[in-house]
Amino acid sequence: MQKITVAERPGWRDRAAEVGFTFADMGGEPYWDETSAYRFTLRQIEDDIEDPSTELHDMCRQAVAHAVTSEEWMTRLEIPRPHWDFVERSWANGEPELYGRFDLAYDGSGPAKLLEYNADTPTSLYESAAFQWLWFEESRDAGTLGPNTDQFNTIHEALVERWAEIAAQGEDIHFAADRDNPEDFATVEAMAWAAREAGLGAHFTALADIGLSEDGQFADDRDRVIGTLFKLYPWEDMLRDDFAANLQPSQTRFIEPPWKAVLSNKGILPLLWQMFPDHPNLLPAFFAADLDAARRGERGDFADAIALAEPLLRRGHVTKPVFSREGAGVVITENGHETERAPDESYSHHPQVVQALAPLPDFDGFHPVLGAWILGLRCAGLGVREDRTRITHNLSRFKPHFIEG
């Protein structure tokens, strides 16, 4: 794994505007940055990223199977009690999932370490699947990249394949997001593009325009009943908002399904560590309340595991809320001293998880985090985000990658 300086494509910003990539610059800084790219070997991609990510996803599914039948874990994971049956039934009925993104720490050697799983509403899909591939093809055609290079990116093709697996030919899918958020809109557009290629109908509707029919069904702003809904709106909010009581009676099929509420919060990290201790791709992780209790000498269920992990946690750990987005609420502590804190603390009132610190590599003052994309049950592509800080946030740069050697 190397960071390689490469020539930018002439007029690439015009190209971005032409294909609808309207957020290539954000907040006065480049979001898409092709002045350099990350180079991986095929072995690194296959052995250290692709295969482990597919295995991690299988482990996550095992964790869901355990959690949905456990009152203890449904409580720990902050699933509202009135909706336990809704969540458990969606898993028991085998409601299919579509996609997710693992965030991994990796420096080119040794196993990649799972930082978190964006299992419900991950963005950066368009830039990973489409614009990154366009960069690769045009850069290779221009001779900037060698003729034998490749990219780990079958995201769009895997999306098309997955839509065909989980929806009937001709089925109408509603795609809902915040109309005024360019990145969210680009994500649902990428989803709808794949759905149309799979032979499905695709209709965009703003989240704010969804209402209830007289029969208690969800409907769009043209009074069309929503039978299947892909929503870029997190389950932790859906299960708590004013429409929550109508979710189950509406008979709408949701993508992602309700059981993804189990995976879409950081509380899954302690559960994974409990079920798969010492797995090479996991970091020790515990609820902060359990950690505090163990340090007071209380003998809880996790006391032995905490005692074993204490030396590593004391060297460095990350505290993060069970619900958060774009790095909000993340605090890094090393050798007893806080060394980095996210400025956004809007999620910090939620219960906290403590995870051992996985040092991120430093490339020219930037720290990359790998985003391994899961489509269905397998890993199908890679996106890289980097930042000058060690906490990745919404303005962190997206960097293209390629495979060589």
Side-chain angles (χ1 to χ4, degrees):
M1 178 181 174
Q2 296 175 297
K3 186 176 179 180
I4 307 297
T5 299
V6 295
E8 293 183 89
R9 293 167 295 163
W12 73 260
R13 281 185 170 82
D14 293 335
R15 189 80 166 104
E18 175 188 330
V19 297
F21 189 9
T22 60
F23 52 99
D25 294 288
M26 292 193 291
E29 289 275 339
Y31 168 64
W32 171 270
D33 182 1
E34 59 179 70
T35 59
S36 57
Y38 283 91
R39 180 171 69 188
F40 297 85
T41 67
L42 183 60
R43 187 208 62 78
Q44 289 173 331
I45 291 293
E46 291 182 341
D47 296 347
D48 293 349
I49 299 168
E50 182 180 10
D51 290 347
S53 295
T54 298
E55 181 182 357
L56 282 170
H57 181 66
D58 180 68
M59 292 158 54
C60 285
R61 288 179 59 86
Q62 293 180 56
V64 174
H66 175 77
V68 296
T69 59
S70 166
E71 289 191 7
E72 176 192 0
W73 278 100
M74 292 290 272
T75 301
R76 284 177 169 272
L77 294 168
E78 296 288 303
I79 309 296
R81 183 177 288 271
H83 303 294
W84 283 6
D85 180 64
F86 182 44
V87 171
E88 192 279 331
R89 186 179 297 136
S90 75
W91 173 259
N93 291 341
E95 293 184 16
E97 61 190 303
L98 181 61
Y99 81 136
R101 191 192 74 232
F102 286 116
D103 286 349
L104 306 172
Y106 180 68
D107 63 3
S109 61
K113 297 293 186 179
L114 174 63
L115 303 178
E116 60 186 66
Y117 189 15
N118 302 276
D120 185 22
T121 59
T123 53
S124 78
L125 177 71
Y126 168 79
E127 48 270 42
S128 295
F131 202 72
Q132 181 180 216
W133 183 253
L134 181 65
W135 166 86
F136 171 71
E137 289 190 315
E138 293 184 348
S139 296
R140 188 172 59 180
D141 291 346
T144 303
L145 301 178
N148 295 320
T149 54
D150 201 351
Q151 187 178 89
F152 180 35
N153 190 355
T154 60
I155 300 169
H156 176 72
E157 294 81 0
L159 269 176
V160 175
E161 179 182 331
R162 187 59 175 166
W163 275 119
E165 290 171 349
I166 68 175
Q169 278 290 300
E171 182 176 345
D172 284 331
I173 314 292
H174 278 77
F175 292 84
D178 180 355
R179 189 194 306 276
D180 298 322
N181 185 312
E183 187 175 6
D184 287 7
F185 187 77
T187 298
V188 295
E189 280 289 286
M191 283 290 183
W193 173 26
R196 292 186 189 103
E197 286 195 16
L200 310 178
H203 311 289
F204 175 78
T205 183
L207 282 165
D209 291 341
I210 296 176
L212 276 175
S213 72
E214 292 181 358
D215 297 329
Q217 295 177 298
F218 289 115
D220 65 16
D221 59 344
R222 295 169 61 180
D223 294 326
R224 293 177 296 196
V225 170
I226 299 175
T228 301
L229 177 66
F230 173 87
K231 84 290 177 299
L232 207 65
Y233 184 47
W235 273 111
E236 66 261 25
D237 292 334
M238 287 181 67
L239 295 177
R240 289 168 172 81
D241 72 13
D242 293 339
F243 282 94
N246 304 105
L247 292 170
Q248 191 165 353
S250 73
Q251 300 184 40
T252 298
R253 180 161 78 114
F254 296 100
I255 300 173
E256 296 295 311
W259 62 260
K260 275 291 186 84
V262 173
L263 293 182
S264 63
N265 69 70
K266 313 303 185 296
I268 195 66
L269 299 171
L271 177 55
L272 286 170
W273 186 251
Q274 183 194 58
M275 294 180 65
F276 307 100
D278 298 319
H279 189 281
N281 298 115
L282 295 179
L283 295 162
F286 307 93
F287 286 97
D290 293 327
L291 195 62
D292 291 342
R295 287 172 175 171
R296 292 193 301 266
E298 298 178 17
R299 290 295 303 172
D301 293 340
F302 306 95
D304 291 341
I306 289 171
L308 289 172
E310 273 287 16
L312 189 59
L313 293 174
R314 291 192 183 280
R315 284 199 296 273
H317 64 264
V318 178
T319 306
K320 54 185 79 173
V322 292
F323 301 130
S324 70
R325 292 289 184 274
E326 305 290 359
V330 172
V331 178
I332 299 176
T333 302
E334 296 171 275
N335 298 313
H337 300 284
E338 181 182 308
T339 54
E340 209 154 340
R341 175 181 289 265
D344 182 356
E345 297 188 349
S346 56
Y347 292 90
S348 297
H349 60 285
H350 292 295
Q352 304 285 310
V353 165
V354 177
Q355 182 186 47
L357 176 66
L360 298 178
D362 186 324
F363 289 94
D364 304 323
F366 283 87
H367 306 283
V369 170
L370 307 191
W373 286 96
I374 299 294
L375 277 303
L377 304 178
R378 64 182 178 87
C379 184
L382 178 68
V384 181
R385 301 280 303 281
E386 67 170 18
D387 204 280
R388 294 182 180 91
T389 76
R390 291 178 293 170
I391 301 174
T392 307
H393 57 88
N394 63 321
L395 298 182
S396 298
R397 298 183 180 191
F398 190 102
K399 303 293 292 190
H401 80 276
F402 65 99
I403 301 170
E404 187 174 45

